[in-house]
Amino acid sequence: MPTKNLDPINTFPVQQFIQTVKSADASRAKDIRIDIENAKRLAFTLGEVMSRLNGDMEQFIKEHVQNIDNEPVEVQLDGGADWK
């Protein structure tokens, strides 16, 4: 199995954006402004997070589908005796 790159993702731009939104909401602001450098950092961080989640999900599915495919399926028919 290949080794995964588990370097931590710097989520500070996301945290900073969330704090900006909270502050704007608390002050009942109608909009927020973000400079292009912070916007680029936020976009890059969100891309990293989504890529990591996608890779993790693909790995999870790959590992668990093999287990599901190998499990027998048991079906019991009782003629509906306890059906209400």
Side-chain angles (χ1 to χ4, degrees):
M1 177 186 287
T3 58
K4 284 177 71 173
N5 182 4
L6 294 179
D7 293 338
I9 297 173
N10 177 12
T11 59
F12 181 72
V14 175
Q15 295 167 355
Q16 189 177 31
F17 176 74
I18 291 169
Q19 187 57 45
T20 300
V21 172
K22 283 182 182 180
S23 296
D25 187 43
S27 66
R28 298 188 179 276
K30 299 244 186 230
D31 57 7
I32 61 170
R33 293 186 60 92
I34 181 171
D35 63 76
I36 193 65
E37 287 303 316
N38 284 330
K40 289 192 312 190
R41 279 193 289 269
L42 177 61
F44 180 77
T45 301
L46 290 174
E48 279 187 303
V49 169
M50 296 304 294
S51 294
R52 174 82 57 90
L53 287 174
N54 186 51
D56 290 348
M57 182 174 292
E58 286 180 359
Q59 184 66 30
F60 178 84
I61 290 170
K62 182 179 175 183
E63 290 171 357
H64 288 82
V65 165
Q66 290 174 347
N67 294 339
I68 292 170
D69 288 343
N70 294 331
E71 290 182 21
V73 176
E74 183 178 324
V75 178
Q76 295 179 352
L77 302 174
D78 66 0
D82 293 327
W83 189 74
K84 295 180 183 180

